[in-house]
Amino acid sequence: MRGLVVSSPLPEFQLTLTGPAAAHPGDQVPHTARITNVGAAPAVNVRLTGDCVRDIGTVGAGQTVTVPCPVKAPEDDYRVSATAAAASLAADELTAAASSAVDVLHPALVTIRTATPDTVLTGQTVRYEISVRNSGDTPLAGVSVDDDQVVECRKGDLGTLAPGRQVVVTCAGAAPDADFTATATAGGTDALGKRVTAQGRVTVSVLHPRQAVAPPPPLPRPQPPVQPAAAVRSQLPVPTPIIVLGVATIAMSLTISAVARPKR
């Protein structure tokens, strides 16, 4: 008696994960899990686990099932992973795994503006230096500088700025009639199309030495205090008494002096 070998077709499936290669922190990233049964028999009890959890059921021979797997991007780079498990009609276990790496971008700029000198006369030339540095972790394209005071400081496309690199813009302008604050706004765009900006400010003091300064008005002269009438009367001089000698008194004195003394 010869043994009889009976073979039956088996399922065989593949799992792939696709999605953006980069994202920003907090983005809802639309990853997709794709299960394809490349075998000749159906796979049953198909289930996805990991970052993409879903009960799929049966995947027929040659069939492809696509499952959306949105993931909220964390602060740093991450990897999306998923595992598919299934069984054949003969209860054979089947598994497949896939993952996808995502680069989390942190675009950022730092802008510093200085003025020389920072105290000037009206109309005097002020020289500016505007430093723009890529302080993020991804290149920024189309870097430009806008300015609210000096047309010469406005620069269009300064090219692409790699992380850690900087570009310096020098320019000059005449000081206006009053103190002012000059603001430069730099901007750049990352690989995902996000535009980031940063501002640099400097305050310049303007002096006016030719301006005549009016002297202050004279102070009023102090007036003597008003005193009551009683106090005024008390301060009047007291009359000195005058003694008048009568004519009779003077005549008597002369008579006495004229009497002759008797002879001895």
Side-chain angles (χ1 to χ4, degrees), residues 34-251:
R34 186 183 300 273
I35 300 173
T36 301
N37 185 350
V38 296
V44 297
N45 300 327
V46 180
R47 176 177 172 79
L48 279 175
T49 58
D51 293 315
C52 188
V53 179
R54 181 73 62 87
D55 288 322
I56 298 173
T58 300
V59 178
Q63 182 182 2
T64 297
V65 176
T66 300
V67 178
C69 300
V71 176
K72 185 176 181 180
E75 287 295 321
D76 296 319
D77 300 346
Y78 69 99
R79 180 176 292 274
V80 179
S81 301
T83 300
S88 67
L89 295 177
D92 296 317
E93 293 185 355
L94 305 170
T95 59
S99 64
S100 176
V102 180
D103 185 15
V104 178
L105 307 182
H106 304 85
L109 281 173
V110 173
T111 303
I112 299 175
R113 181 175 191 156
T114 59
T116 305
D118 58 5
T119 300
V120 296
L121 304 177
T122 300
Q124 184 177 346
T125 298
V126 182
R127 301 190 180 279
Y128 302 99
E129 183 176 282
I130 303 170
S131 172
V132 181
R133 181 172 63 87
N134 184 345
S135 58
D137 58 5
T138 183
L140 295 174
V143 176
S144 62
V145 174
D146 194 11
D147 192 90
D148 68 343
Q149 291 286 337
V150 185
V151 175
E152 185 183 343
C153 297
R154 300 170 188 170
K155 302 297 181 181
D157 190 351
L158 295 174
T160 299
L161 204 57
R165 302 301 298 271
Q166 73 174 11
V167 61
V168 178
V169 174
T170 58
C171 49
D177 294 334
D179 298 351
F180 66 97
T181 298
T183 302
T185 303
T189 305
D190 71 2
L192 298 180
K194 182 176 181 179
R195 185 78 175 175
V196 293
T197 60
Q199 291 185 332
R201 295 184 177 88
V202 65
T203 299
V204 179
S205 300
V206 180
L207 304 180
H208 309 86
R210 301 182 186 90
Q211 182 175 352
V213 178
L219 297 175
R221 298 180 62 182
Q223 299 295 328
V226 179
Q227 296 181 346
V232 173
R233 288 195 301 269
S234 64
Q235 295 178 4
L236 293 176
V238 178
T240 304
I242 300 174
I243 300 175
V244 180
L245 297 177
V247 179
T249 305
I250 298 175

